Amino acid sequence: MPPTATPITPTTTSAASASAPGPAAGPNPAAGPNPAAAPNPSAGPDTVLHAIRTHTRSENPSAFLAMSRGTLAFTAPGLDGVIAYRQAGQYLVQLGGPFAARGDYLPLLERFLDHARSRGLGVVGAQLQRADAEIYARQGFTVNQFGASWVVHLPDFTLQGGRFMRMRNKISRAFRNGLEVSEVPAQDHAEAIREIDANWLRSKGEAARPLEFLVGEIGGPGQAHRRLFVGTIGSRPVGYISYSPVYGERAGWMHDLSRRIPESSPGLMEAINSHVIEVLRAEGCPWLHFGFTPFTGLDQENELPGHSPAFQWLMHFLWDQGEALYPAQTQLAYKDKWAPQAPIPEYVAFQGDTASLAAFAHIFRACNAF
């Protein structure tokens, strides 16, 4: 059996003092094998945070998901960077490409592939950005568009005009129903969050499972860096939205995890987010990201040479018929309300010259979809 790795857990080192892994010391034959010369399949959260803040060349707006509990971080001695992943069955499922220095990107990827191969495991990459996708394609992966992420430029944003009339009415109704929105510490509202989560999950049906990995969370080592806004009516918490930091050229915040009590006021989530937009605009924040949605924003022009036409067809089919696997149309309908800019294509990468359906299924298994 392959050895298991430990999920990211808090350490006593502060994020501010985190630094990239330094070069390993030279081996001492008299001392026997040097464990520092071996790759580390589970680096700590400070190492991960440093990497996603520093190595932003791929411009992955979902990079902060690498901080989630249960997500592992692969590092190798002498290489500056991390690869975020989870194991699902016989696959290591990557979140994005390596978050690594330019010169260490490929060596780190090669060490990760060696690590998987030595354990008899395959590798599949999800939510690769265009820069990642082009590199993976050159390395012999089959790369296809998986979906898209969505972003709003806040300095240009307005809710005025006919396009937003219906949403303005819903927002006004929520506030007339007594909604109040506050930014709160998550640890002080843990019980309320559990109640909202439980009500939300029950509304999805008996077989519903809370998604993980490519979806945000509340708690864990990354919580100190997130922001949580809770909506209350009559002092009862009825919904929340969690926002995660985004680094790089489009630095800002990502509308990450949102849940509500189903019987609460119409327009609740729109009202919370509209309040947050005004907070962020006042702070001078330039970008609000809405995250990745699979099967959306598909376009032939986004595909790379060597992509799989059959898998491309499957993505379009799942956009039309895949509600049971993931509610892409519902998710996009909410995001589209905010008039996002042109979609940012995101990719999936399969080892070899075919797009493996087994590997693709294990992405969703890593997300706790089944």
Side-chain angles (χ1 to χ4, degrees):
M1 294 288 291
T4 57
T6 306
I8 293 174
T9 53
T11 67
T12 56
T13 307
S14 69
S17 66
S19 60
N28 177 1
N34 178 9
N40 179 6
S42 183
D46 293 335
T47 300
V48 176
L49 184 63
H50 173 82
I52 62 177
R53 281 175 164 173
T54 304
H55 305 308
T56 60
R57 184 165 58 99
S58 295
E59 297 293 337
N60 192 328
S62 297
F64 197 80
L65 294 177
M67 293 289 292
S68 295
R69 290 167 292 189
T71 297
L72 308 177
F74 179 90
T75 61
L79 300 179
D80 181 4
V82 305
I83 290 177
Y85 72 101
R86 289 193 181 189
Q87 182 171 345
Q90 293 300 301
Y91 290 90
L92 302 184
V93 182
Q94 284 185 248
L95 166 66
F99 302 101
R102 184 182 297 267
D104 292 335
Y105 185 105
L106 274 178
L108 185 61
L109 177 59
E110 290 167 358
R111 294 295 296 274
F112 183 67
L113 296 175
D114 288 344
H115 169 75
R117 188 162 42 245
S118 70
R119 287 155 177 77
L121 303 173
V123 171
V124 59
Q127 284 198 246
L128 274 66
Q129 304 305 297
R130 180 73 184 203
D132 300 309
E134 292 175 352
I135 294 172
Y136 276 61
R138 290 196 296 268
Q139 297 305 306
F141 282 75
T142 297
V143 180
N144 273 69
Q145 188 182 1
F146 185 11
S149 61
W150 308 82
V151 61
V152 169
H153 189 229
L154 292 181
D156 301 330
F157 180 76
T158 177
L159 280 176
Q160 301 304 310
R163 171 173 181 171
F164 297 103
M165 182 174 64
R166 179 178 294 183
M167 186 159 68
R168 288 198 306 270
N169 291 338
K170 291 180 69 175
I171 291 170
S172 295
R173 182 178 177 183
F175 284 118
R176 287 198 305 271
N177 287 340
L179 176 68
E180 296 183 357
V181 182
S182 303
E183 183 171 13
V184 301
Q187 65 271 19
D188 294 348
H189 292 73
E191 184 175 347
I193 290 168
R194 283 194 293 270
E195 180 185 354
I196 293 170
D197 288 350
N199 278 274
W200 172 84
L201 191 61
R202 278 196 298 270
S203 73
K204 302 299 179 182
E206 291 184 2
R209 300 160 64 99
L211 297 181
E212 303 173 355
F213 187 42
L214 303 185
V215 178
E217 67 175 13
I218 293 178
Q223 188 56 46
H225 306 281
R226 301 187 190 97
R227 302 177 72 169
L228 178 65
F229 289 81
V230 172
T232 59
I233 295 178
S235 76
R236 181 195 181 194
V238 292
Y240 67 80
I241 305 177
S242 174
Y243 296 81
S244 296
V246 177
Y247 308 109
E249 291 294 322
R250 287 177 166 172
W253 293 90
M254 184 168 71
H255 182 307
D256 191 2
L257 186 67
S258 58
R259 290 178 180 165
R260 54 171 287 177
I261 292 178
E263 65 271 18
S264 54
S265 173
L268 174 68
M269 307 314 288
E270 292 88 345
I272 295 174
N273 195 53
S274 68
H275 170 88
V276 173
I277 284 176
E278 293 310 310
V279 170
L280 297 181
R281 282 164 58 94
E283 295 172 353
C285 174
W287 298 100
L288 177 60
H289 297 258
F290 283 82
F292 170 71
T293 305
F295 324 138
T296 64
L298 302 173
D299 193 315
Q300 176 63 37
E301 293 186 358
N302 294 331
E303 299 291 0
L304 293 170
H307 73 277
S308 166
F311 188 84
Q312 183 183 15
W313 175 90
L314 177 63
M315 294 299 94
H316 286 273
F317 174 81
L318 290 174
W319 162 251
D320 288 330
Q321 306 292 333
E323 185 77 9
L325 180 61
Y326 188 85
Q329 294 192 23
T330 302
Q331 291 292 315
L332 183 57
Y334 174 79
K335 295 176 183 184
D336 195 50
K337 292 179 181 180
W338 305 95
Q341 296 199 331
I344 303 168
E346 301 201 8
Y347 296 85
V348 57
F350 303 95
Q351 285 182 292
D353 58 3
T354 59
S356 164
L357 290 182
F360 182 63
H362 279 78
I363 294 174
F364 288 89
R365 182 175 174 185
C367 295
N368 195 43
F370 54 85

